[in-house]
């Protein structure tokens, strides 16, 4: 029995994710990804012209998602000296809430006009917002859009201010109760781990090296872990907090984008601290509370990734291995022959959602689409991981075990921009269209893979 056949048999026994179907090999289709595909993101969305793989014109894969998408500052030691930790948030006079209720003027930009029309409605059309967001959200609209897509903000405009006021006050009360007696009252093991991990969070962005921001992140992570004892804090959750925090800061300080991936020089650090210092405590409290609730919503959807033995990640890795074997048999066979196990490199990809493989701007653009996809942070992320791995197929097939692992631990994505991420997303969406609902067709010699 050949190595590839043994690999196939093992995969079939590991999971029922794929069921039997007619064979499909990418050699039968000419998938030429170019700027033409990226240009399709600017075209109006049209309903998908197929219900399953057999009805699909695979020579022209769509880059649009389906029309119907089911949504499913002080150090803690000093907190005891602060009255009630922080004053209650009144959304009526909060700039953050005003920005939620009153979208920025759209000007003459057609895309901004579309967002303004959707976000200004008395009742948000969630399907339309998802459709727009899949192709990327303008920075001016991202904070409000993310809150809505996460389910933190109500779709009904009349309920938003009271909801935000209640949720922010609830979080503030938790922080006050948790830290009112100082650091000695905290779970020392948990607090120590969080204090170690936060300075390592998003090291490529000097924004998260700010002491004020780090203290805020620590409070969010500790409060979340204390209220989710079934999973508790797991390394990697700190990474998932930063996109929310950055997006909500940028809503108040648009100029902060120049520091997202800036070199952390003394002059940059001073200018950044001055910029962050312009945020008053009330605004930082609102950003912190909103980040907490959005992180909670995110982790509720992928909770299995962070419970004991992390079964959600284990399932994703099995699916990823099966998917790569179907699409690129030669690559799967080479990894198997070199003794490379998918868990050795893909665990971090699933645990941190590829955040450590990409810069912050790329991650945020990717999350625009994840938030618009059903199960975007779990099911769709698996297809993104597959597309990410297959992107380096030609290089990987020339390497031995040690060089493969070194390559995958530090892939060459330093210069990636939005277009690179959009190409990755379009490839992942194509694989989803082709394989997500198609049964497995493992049989010897039936899947030749990519050439």
């Amino acid at each position: 029995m050949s190595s590839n056949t043994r690999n196939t048999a093992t995969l079939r026994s590991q999971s029922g994710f794929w069921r039997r179907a007619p064979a499909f090999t990418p050699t039968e289709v000419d998938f030429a990804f170019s700027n033409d595909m990226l240009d399709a993101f600017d075209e109006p969305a049209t309903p998908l012209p197929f219900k399953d793989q057999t009805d699909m014109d695979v020579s022209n894969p769509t880059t649009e998602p389906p029309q119907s998408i089911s949504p499913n500052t002080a150090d803690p030691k000093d907190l005891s000296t602060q009255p009630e930790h922080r004053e209650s948030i009144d959304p009526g006079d909060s700039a953050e809430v005003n920005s939620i209720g009153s979208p920025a003027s759209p000007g003459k930009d057609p895309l901004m006009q579309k967002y303004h029309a959707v976000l200004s409605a008395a009742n948000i059309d969630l399907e339309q917002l998802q459709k727009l967001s899949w192709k990327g959200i303008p920075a001016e609209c991202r904070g409000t859009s993310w809150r809505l897509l996460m389910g933190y903000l109500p779709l009904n405009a009349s309920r938003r201010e009271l909801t935000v006021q209640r949720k922010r006050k609830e979080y503030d009360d938790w922080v006050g109760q948790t830290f009112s007696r100082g650091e000695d009252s905290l779970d020392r093991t948990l607090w120590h781990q969080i204090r170690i991990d936060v300075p390592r969070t998003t090291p490529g962005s000097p924004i998260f090296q700010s002491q004020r921001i780090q203290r805020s992140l620590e409070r969010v992570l500790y409060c979340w872990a204390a209220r989710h004892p079934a999973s508790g804090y797991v390394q990697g959750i700190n990474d998932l907090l930063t996109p929310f925090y950055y997006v909500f800061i940028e809503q108040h300080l648009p100029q902060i984008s120049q520091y997202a991936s800036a070199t952390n020089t003394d002059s940059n650090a001073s200018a950044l601290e001055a910029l962050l210092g312009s945020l008053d405590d009330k605004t930082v409290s609102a950003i912190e509370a909103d980040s907490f609730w959005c992180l909670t919503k995110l982790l509720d959807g992928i909770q299995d990734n962070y419970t004991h033995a992390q079964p959600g990640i284990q399932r994703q890795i099995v699916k990823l291995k099966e998917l790569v074997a179907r699409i690129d048999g030669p690559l799967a066979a080479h990894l198997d022959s070199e003794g490379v196990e998918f868990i050795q490199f893909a665990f971090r990809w699933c645990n941190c959602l590829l955040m450590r493989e990409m810069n912050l701007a790329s991650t945020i653009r990717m999350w625009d689409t994840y938030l618009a996809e059903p199960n975007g942070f779990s099911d769709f992320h698996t297809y993104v991981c597959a597309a990410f791995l297959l992107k380096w197929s030609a290089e990987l097939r020339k390497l031995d075990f040690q060089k493969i692992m070194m390559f995958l631990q530090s892939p060459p994505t330093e210069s990636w921009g939005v277009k690179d991420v959009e190409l990755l997303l379009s490839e992942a969406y194509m694989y989803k269209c082709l394989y997500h609902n198609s049964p497995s067709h493992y049989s010897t010699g039936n899947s030749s893979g990519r050439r």
Side-chain angles (χ1 to χ4, degrees):
M1 183 182 293
S2 68
S3 173
N4 193 39
T5 302
R6 288 196 304 271
N7 186 43
T8 296
T10 302
L11 290 171
R12 291 183 65 186
S13 66
Q14 284 178 325
S15 171
F17 182 65
W18 307 111
R19 296 164 298 193
R20 185 170 298 280
F24 170 83
T25 62
T27 55
E28 297 169 356
V29 183
D30 180 17
F31 288 123
F33 284 91
S34 65
N35 289 332
D36 294 338
M37 173 165 281
L38 295 178
D39 292 341
F41 283 99
D42 298 325
E43 298 298 324
T46 56
L48 288 175
F50 58 87
K51 294 183 180 179
D52 55 37
Q53 181 179 335
T54 58
D55 297 328
M56 178 180 178
D57 177 10
V58 294
S59 64
N60 185 24
T62 180
T63 60
E64 292 284 357
Q67 289 273 358
S68 297
I69 302 177
S70 302
N72 237 21
T73 33
D75 191 282
K77 292 181 179 178
D78 303 326
L79 291 176
S80 59
T81 65
Q82 299 179 17
E84 298 299 323
H85 171 49
R86 290 167 292 188
E87 60 182 312
S88 298
I89 306 298
D90 178 7
D93 59 5
S94 167
E96 179 74 6
V97 174
N98 289 340
S99 69
I100 292 171
S102 303
S105 175
K108 296 182 179 180
D109 184 344
L111 180 60
M112 286 294 293
Q113 289 175 351
K114 291 179 181 179
Y115 270 97
H116 189 270
V118 170
L119 297 177
S120 298
N123 288 285
I124 300 292
D125 184 338
L126 184 60
E127 183 179 328
Q128 182 65 18
L129 180 59
Q130 289 170 322
K131 176 180 160 184
L132 285 172
S133 300
W134 206 100
K135 298 179 285 187
I137 306 173
E140 301 89 335
C141 305
R142 185 173 279 126
T144 302
S145 298
W146 277 26
R147 290 179 178 91
L148 289 162
L149 292 167
M150 286 304 306
Y152 170 52
L153 283 183
L155 300 179
N156 185 286
S158 64
R159 296 173 49 214
R160 255 170 244 154
E161 288 192 4
L162 288 176
T163 299
V164 169
Q165 181 182 32
R166 175 174 56 83
K167 300 300 280 186
R168 288 177 179 171
K169 185 178 186 304
E170 186 177 351
Y171 173 75
D172 264 10
D173 290 345
W174 285 347
V175 171
Q177 294 165 11
T178 302
F179 294 100
S180 60
R181 290 178 293 173
E183 190 173 321
D184 290 340
S185 66
L186 305 179
D187 181 314
R188 293 192 177 186
T189 302
L190 171 61
W191 183 242
H192 176 71
Q193 188 62 56
I194 290 173
R195 293 297 296 264
I196 289 174
D197 288 346
V198 164
R200 302 171 180 169
T201 302
T202 319
S205 174
I207 296 168
F208 296 103
Q209 305 310 307
S210 162
Q211 292 296 306
R212 187 185 191 193
I213 301 301
Q214 288 185 1
R215 300 292 80 78
S216 182
L217 298 178
E218 289 165 1
R219 288 192 292 268
V220 172
L221 294 170
Y222 189 90
C223 286
W224 184 88
R227 281 153 184 79
H228 295 82
S231 56
Y233 174 75
V234 177
Q235 286 179 298
I237 293 178
N238 54 309
D239 292 289
L240 306 186
L241 173 60
T242 55
F244 293 118
Y245 209 100
Y246 173 83
V247 165
F248 299 156
I249 287 181
E250 188 181 33
Q251 197 168 13
H252 295 278
L253 300 174
Q255 62 271 45
I256 206 169
S257 60
Q258 64 185 296
Y259 298 101
S261 301
T263 303
N264 196 12
T265 63
D266 290 340
S267 59
N268 276 341
S270 299
L272 178 58
E273 283 296 332
L275 183 62
L276 292 173
S278 67
L279 292 173
D280 57 46
D281 288 344
K282 192 172 186 179
T283 300
V284 172
S285 297
I287 292 169
E288 183 178 322
D290 291 357
S291 299
F292 169 85
W293 289 112
C294 287
L295 177 69
T296 300
K297 291 280 189 180
L298 169 62
L299 293 175
D300 284 349
I302 53 174
Q303 188 172 7
D304 280 357
N305 286 13
Y306 303 102
T307 53
H308 178 67
Q310 299 179 271
I313 292 178
Q314 300 288 347
R315 287 193 298 270
Q316 278 184 278
I317 292 173
V318 170
K319 294 176 184 179
L320 175 62
K321 186 174 182 179
E322 293 176 351
L323 185 59
V324 171
R326 299 181 74 187
I327 300 170
D328 193 337
L331 175 60
H334 179 69
L335 295 177
D336 183 59
S337 67
E338 291 294 329
V340 176
E341 295 292 338
F342 274 61
I343 198 167
Q344 293 172 317
F345 61 87
F347 184 88
R348 189 175 79 174
W349 294 5
C350 297
N351 190 58
C352 301
L353 298 177
L354 286 173
M355 287 187 61
R356 298 188 183 182
E357 283 66 40
M358 299 185 187
N359 58 42
L360 183 59
S362 296
T363 296
I364 288 171
R365 170 60 192 91
M366 195 158 65
W367 282 30
D368 289 344
T369 297
Y370 281 13
L371 287 165
E373 273 283 326
N375 302 315
F377 292 93
S378 52
D379 291 346
F380 187 67
H381 179 67
T382 305
Y383 291 97
V384 172
C385 288
F388 190 70
L389 178 62
L390 295 172
K391 184 174 289 290
W392 322 109
S393 177
E395 293 93 327
L396 292 171
R397 280 185 277 169
K398 300 174 184 176
L399 304 178
D400 60 18
F401 174 86
Q402 184 175 1
K403 291 181 179 178
I404 289 172
M405 295 308 301
M406 291 177 63
F407 185 97
L408 293 177
Q409 287 171 5
S410 184
T413 57
E414 300 87 355
S415 61
W416 273 32
V418 170
K419 290 297 183 183
D420 298 288
V421 175
E422 290 180 344
L423 179 57
L424 181 72
L425 292 168
S426 67
E427 291 172 336
Y429 185 71
M430 178 195 68
Y431 293 140
K432 177 187 173 184
C433 291
L434 294 175
Y435 294 107
H436 188 59
N437 293 316
S438 67
S440 176
H441 52 71
Y442 285 127
S443 61
T444 304
N446 207 24
S447 179
S448 59
R450 304 196 325 180
R451 297 290 187 233

